[in-house]
C-alpha cells in the first residue's frame, strides 16, 4: 500500500476530539527542493522528542535520496509555521518497505510551539475489531485532515 496512513490507537487521549486535535497538531507537511525546484514531499507525524531534536515518521517515498533541502511545516497555531530544515535519520523504499524517519533541531521552532509527540504503538499492541482509530494526513498539499473511524476487519 503506497498511502501512508497513521492509525493511532485511542487510550492516550480522553476523547475522540482531543485525539484528533493532538494528531492534527503533530502532523506536518514535508516539502522537498531538488535542484532549486520545490516539489511536494508528503505528510509526517512527530512521534518522538529528545533534548535537542524532534523526530518525524513518514513514508520512504517522501524522502528523495538526492534532495538538496527538505523543509517541514506544522499548522498547530492556526497558520503554517515557517519552514524548518530536516535531516534524514533513516529511509527505506524498496518493495513493500516504505518508511522514513527525519529529524528537526528544536531550536528551529523559534516562536512556533513544538507539538506533543504522538507515540508509536508498542510491538505487542494489537488492533481489535471495532477499536477506534484516527487517520491523518495532508493530501495534495492541503493542511491536515483527520478521520475518525473504527477497525472493521482484522483480515
Amino acid at each position: 500500500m503506497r498511502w501512508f496512513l497513521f492509525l493511532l490507537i485511542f487510550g492516550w487521549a480522553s476523547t475522540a476530539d482531543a485525539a484528533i486535535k493532538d494528531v492534527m497538531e503533530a502532523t506536518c507537511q514535508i516539502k522537498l527542493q531538488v535542484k532549486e525546484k520545490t516539489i511536494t514531499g508528503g505528510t509526517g507525524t512527530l512521534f518522538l522528542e529528545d533534548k535537542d531534536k524532534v523526530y518525524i515518521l513518514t513514508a520512504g517515498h517522501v524522502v528523495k535520496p538526492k534532495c538538496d533541502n527538505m523543509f517541514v511545516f506544522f499548522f498547530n497555531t492556526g497558520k503554517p509555521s515557517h519552514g524548518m530544515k530536516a535531516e534524514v535519520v533513516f529511509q527505506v523504499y524498496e518493495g513493500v518497505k516504505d518508511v522514513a524517519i527525519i529529524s528537526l533541531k528544536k531550536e528551529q521552532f523559534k516562536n512556533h510551539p513544538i507539538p506533543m509527540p504522538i507515540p508509536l504503538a508498542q510491538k505487542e499492541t494489537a488492533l481489535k475489531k471495532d477499536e477506534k482509530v484516527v487517520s491523518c494526513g495532508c493530501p495534495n498539499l492541503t493542511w491536515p485532515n483527520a478521520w475518525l473511524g473504527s477497525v472493521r476487519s482484522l483480515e
Side-chain angles (χ1 to χ4, degrees):
M1 179 190 312
R2 289 250 163 133
W3 276 95
F4 195 77
L5 300 177
F6 297 97
L7 298 178
L8 303 164
I9 300 172
F10 282 81
W12 45 268
S14 59
T15 67
D17 289 342
I20 289 173
K21 179 182 178 292
D22 291 345
V23 171
M24 288 183 72
E25 288 181 357
T27 298
C28 61
Q29 287 182 350
I30 301 164
K31 295 181 182 179
L32 307 176
Q33 187 176 27
V34 178
K35 295 182 181 176
E36 299 180 18
K37 180 180 177 189
T38 300
I39 60 172
T40 300
T43 300
T45 297
L46 192 153
F47 74 95
L48 181 67
E49 178 180 358
D50 68 16
K51 182 181 173 194
D52 301 315
K53 295 181 180 181
V54 297
Y55 297 87
I56 296 166
L57 180 67
T58 188
H61 69 267
V62 168
V63 179
K64 307 297 182 214
K66 296 180 182 176
C67 179
D68 298 327
N69 292 301
M70 179 172 33
F71 295 94
V72 173
F73 299 82
F74 287 93
F75 194 71
N76 65 347
T77 61
K79 61 182 181 180
S81 70
H82 59 281
M84 293 175 260
K85 190 169 173 84
E87 296 178 356
V88 176
V89 175
F90 173 82
Q91 187 246 359
V92 63
Y93 181 43
E94 53 188 49
V96 296
K97 297 175 184 174
D98 188 11
V99 67
I101 296 173
I102 60 176
S103 68
L104 304 172
K105 292 181 181 174
K106 289 169 76 173
E107 65 194 29
Q108 293 186 88
F109 280 85
K110 298 178 183 170
N111 296 326
H112 196 85
I114 297 172
M116 179 183 79
I118 302 299
L120 299 176
Q122 299 298 314
K123 185 177 181 178
E124 57 275 358
T125 303
L127 287 175
K128 298 176 183 89
K129 192 168 190 273
D130 298 321
E131 188 164 36
K132 300 269 189 245
V133 293
V134 175
S135 175
C136 190
C138 301
N140 300 318
L141 201 54
T142 62
W143 287 105
N145 292 298
W147 300 268
L148 176 62
S150 60
V151 177
R152 294 290 179 215
S153 174
L154 298 175
E155 297 175 19

